[in-house]
Amino acid sequence: MDPTIDLLNQLIKNVKNQKLILSVSGGIDSMVMLHLLHSHNYHIEVVHFNHQKREQSKLEATLVQSYCEKHHIPYHYYLIDVLDHGNFHHQAHILRKHYLLQVAKEVKSKYILTAHHLDDLLESILIKLTRGSNLLGYAGMQPIYEKNHIFYVKPLLYTSKEDILSYAIKHKIPYLSDESNEQDTYLRNRYRHAISPIMKQENQQLLEQVKQYHHQLSDAFIYIRKQSILNLVDNQIIISKFKDLDTVIQHDMIAYLLEENQVEASYEKIMSIKHMLLSKNPNQSIRLNHQYAFVKAYDHASIEEHEHTEPQFIELKIGENHVKNMGVFTFFHETDTITEELQKLCYNKLAFPLWLRHRLNGDTLTFDYGHKKLKKLLIDQKVPMNKRDQLWILTDNDNQILWVEHYYLNKSIGQQNTLYFQIKKEH
């Protein structure tokens, strides 16, 4: 099993000095992983889960605990209590990951190891080909990946089931077989029992070729992903640059942004977003879920939190006014404050009280030369669509627009009186 140890040393820097969390079921794969790492004097801690679905679960727990006690290996035991309804395997996976992360935090480890092997890799590739995926998905499982500063490692990934069995026999490793692995209820088992044996009969070097296929696709994905990230600017797509990129980079840039925000990156979704980005309409968005939207605003596009801004009407009093999503809006008629710090509105007559609100359809601005729709001004200023409805507008009681946040101050209503105001963001 030297290739497994070589792989582990490649995957984890200074691995002998690291504490490793092993997920051990009591089956042959995880018991071989446990024996192998213990025999090479790695610092390991074992986590075992009882899913309370089979009578054999108690025997598996006893086996793993006895092995750990005999070899003085730290042992953590958890009961997995999954609700009767829903996807059992998905819920159990979430709970196992939760407890593994909990142990990793308690013992200050960054590495969680599972016993997936080369035959598992073949089955995963077949499942991805059946269900659809991206380039990395079609490559199958990766020997290591990182999420939230935790590394998930599969040191047996390039070791065949046959070699694992030979190792277990040679070293007389105790293990229990999970009878559920023989049931064809699950898709993976159907591949294992029906498809994989036929493929192996056709080509005795199948697993070696699977490994080569896995490496080729993984290497291609890594190169493409590097190019995708290089072409993003602060996690934004620059559309004028995006148009000239190769198709595969375009698709992966979109996929990367979706993945970064934990949004499913289906082919159909990527194509829909790409069509939006390459269309002539300068302001568009696509809802991704209840939280996010993919927003195109002129030459920039990115994923943003979806905000539905209801029109608000806030009556202002002289002095400070605390406004949600804005800060403090202060106005007064006379001031000793240095006027350069304030915005100054001159007027002959206004209908008080003053109001703050968001924009409405038909809003019109007044200039010395005439009138202009607020919508037209914002288009001319290339204000992104998703920002327009968030702008604050100051009006008098007759709905005359006096000021638009960042973009407009009414200078056509006289010079007899002066009103001072300022905005301070609250932290």
Side-chain angles (χ1 to χ4, degrees):
M1 302 287 280
D2 286 340
T4 298
I5 296 302
D6 291 342
L7 176 63
L8 189 62
N9 290 331
Q10 292 170 23
L11 297 175
I12 301 177
K13 188 177 181 181
N14 300 320
V15 64
K16 284 291 187 179
N17 299 323
Q18 304 295 336
K19 189 171 288 187
L20 311 176
I21 308 300
L22 274 60
S23 179
V24 179
S25 68
I28 185 172
D29 307 327
S30 60
M31 291 302 292
V32 164
M33 177 178 69
L34 172 56
H35 179 276
L36 182 64
L37 270 61
H38 177 256
S39 64
H40 281 77
N41 300 313
Y42 291 104
H43 300 298
I44 58 177
E45 302 222 4
V46 167
V47 182
H48 176 74
F49 302 104
N50 182 346
H51 295 83
Q52 307 180 81
K53 282 288 188 179
R54 299 172 292 112
E55 286 297 322
Q56 189 175 314
S57 295
K58 296 177 183 177
L59 298 176
E60 291 165 346
T62 301
L63 170 67
V64 177
Q65 183 175 3
S66 299
Y67 188 96
C68 290
E69 289 176 351
K70 179 181 177 180
H71 296 91
H72 308 290
I73 300 169
Y75 171 77
H76 307 264
Y77 176 68
Y78 292 97
L79 293 174
I80 299 293
D81 190 10
V82 175
L83 299 174
D84 290 335
H85 60 274
N87 186 325
F88 171 81
H89 287 282
H90 179 66
Q91 293 180 46
H93 171 75
I94 291 173
L95 287 171
R96 288 196 302 270
K97 185 175 180 180
H98 167 77
Y99 290 125
L100 286 167
L101 289 170
Q102 182 174 297
V103 173
K105 183 178 180 181
E106 287 174 0
V107 305
K108 296 181 173 57
S109 170
K110 296 188 296 183
Y111 301 97
I112 294 172
L113 277 61
T114 56
H116 297 89
H117 50 76
L118 188 53
D119 291 71
D120 290 328
L121 179 61
L122 167 60
E123 294 157 12
S124 294
I125 290 171
L126 294 174
I127 289 171
K128 292 293 186 180
L129 289 171
T130 302
R131 292 178 171 173
S133 186
N134 62 7
L135 195 63
L136 185 64
Y138 291 130
M141 296 178 283
Q142 297 298 309
I144 187 169
Y145 78 93
E146 182 267 338
K147 186 173 183 180
N148 297 328
H149 309 296
I150 296 292
F151 294 87
Y152 298 85
V153 186
K154 300 175 180 63
L156 298 178
L157 190 61
Y158 302 140
T159 304
S160 70
K161 185 76 171 187
E162 183 179 353
D163 286 345
I164 289 171
L165 180 58
S166 298
Y167 183 93
I169 293 171
K170 178 181 178 181
H171 295 277
K172 299 179 181 179
I173 298 172
Y175 67 89
L176 289 168
S177 298
D178 183 350
E179 64 270 16
S180 67
N181 288 333
E182 302 305 316
Q183 300 171 3
D184 283 344
T185 308
Y186 307 116
L187 178 62
R188 182 174 290 275
N189 288 354
R190 294 197 292 275
Y191 279 112
R192 182 173 300 161
H193 300 147
I195 307 299
S196 296
I198 295 174
M199 296 178 70
K200 289 177 181 178
Q201 286 177 10
E202 293 295 326
N203 182 0
Q204 294 183 353
Q205 299 299 314
L206 175 67
L207 291 180
E208 185 60 33
Q209 291 194 347
V210 164
K211 188 164 64 173
Q212 292 173 13
Y213 167 89
H214 159 82
H215 284 309
Q216 288 170 354
L217 261 65
S218 297
D219 291 345
F221 174 82
I222 290 168
Y223 174 77
I224 291 167
R225 181 51 56 92
K226 285 180 179 177
Q227 298 305 309
S228 299
I229 294 172
L230 284 173
N231 281 290
L232 289 166
V233 179
D234 297 328
N235 270 0
Q236 290 189 78
I237 291 173
I238 309 302
I239 295 172
S240 55
K241 184 178 180 181
F242 178 84
K243 291 177 178 178
D244 296 329
L245 295 172
D246 189 272
T247 299
V248 71
I249 304 298
Q250 291 177 338
H251 295 176
D252 192 61
M253 289 172 71
I254 297 169
Y256 173 78
L257 293 177
L258 293 173
E259 291 163 14
E260 284 292 288
N261 290 277
Q262 299 182 350
V263 177
E264 180 189 3
S266 68
Y267 181 79
E268 292 77 13
K269 189 172 291 180
I270 290 171
M271 290 301 101
S272 177
I273 293 168
K274 179 183 175 181
H275 178 76
M276 176 188 74
L277 297 179
L278 297 180
S279 72
K280 293 182 179 180
N281 191 331
N283 279 287
Q284 294 183 77
S285 67
I286 292 177
R287 286 290 299 275
L288 301 174
N289 53 32
H290 71 283
Q291 185 178 5
Y292 293 114
F294 210 113
V295 178
K296 174 186 178 182
Y298 296 99
D299 199 37
H300 293 75
S302 61
I303 293 179
E304 300 185 13
E305 287 199 44
H306 175 75
E307 295 185 26
H308 179 67
T309 307
E310 294 289 345
Q312 295 188 52
F313 297 85
I314 300 170
E315 183 177 348
L316 298 174
K317 66 180 188 301
I318 295 175
E320 290 188 352
N321 298 267
H322 292 262
V323 181
K324 183 181 178 181
N325 299 329
M326 180 188 199
V328 181
F329 185 94
T330 306
F331 87 94
F332 26 74
H333 296 289
E334 295 180 358
T335 178
D336 294 328
T337 306
I338 301 172
T339 55
E340 284 76 6
E341 296 179 4
L342 304 172
Q343 296 199 59
K344 183 169 67 172
L345 176 71
C346 297
Y347 65 96
N348 290 341
K349 183 179 179 181
L350 292 178
F352 287 91
L354 302 184
W355 294 82
L356 273 179
R357 64 167 173 82
H358 294 302
R359 74 184 186 115
L360 300 171
N361 288 334
D363 275 342
T364 302
L365 309 176
T366 304
F367 296 88
D368 292 335
Y369 58 80
H371 297 86
K372 186 174 188 176
K373 293 286 187 182
L374 173 58
K375 178 180 178 180
K376 182 66 166 59
L377 174 74
L378 298 178
I379 290 173
D380 292 344
Q381 293 290 330
K382 295 190 175 181
V383 181
M385 181 69 75
N386 62 313
K387 302 296 184 186
R388 296 177 192 177
D389 292 334
Q390 300 172 29
L391 294 174
W392 286 101
I393 296 172
L394 178 66
T395 76
D396 70 0
N397 202 45
D398 289 337
N399 202 30
Q400 178 179 212
I401 295 178
L402 309 176
W403 166 84
V404 177
E405 185 180 9
H406 304 309
Y407 297 104
Y408 172 76
L409 181 69
N410 195 331
K411 299 180 180 180
S412 66
I413 48 179
Q415 298 289 327
Q416 294 179 7
N417 303 297
T418 304
L419 184 149
Y420 301 92
F421 64 93
Q422 68 176 1
I423 308 158
K424 287 187 177 178
K425 301 292 183 182
E426 287 185 316
H427 299 289

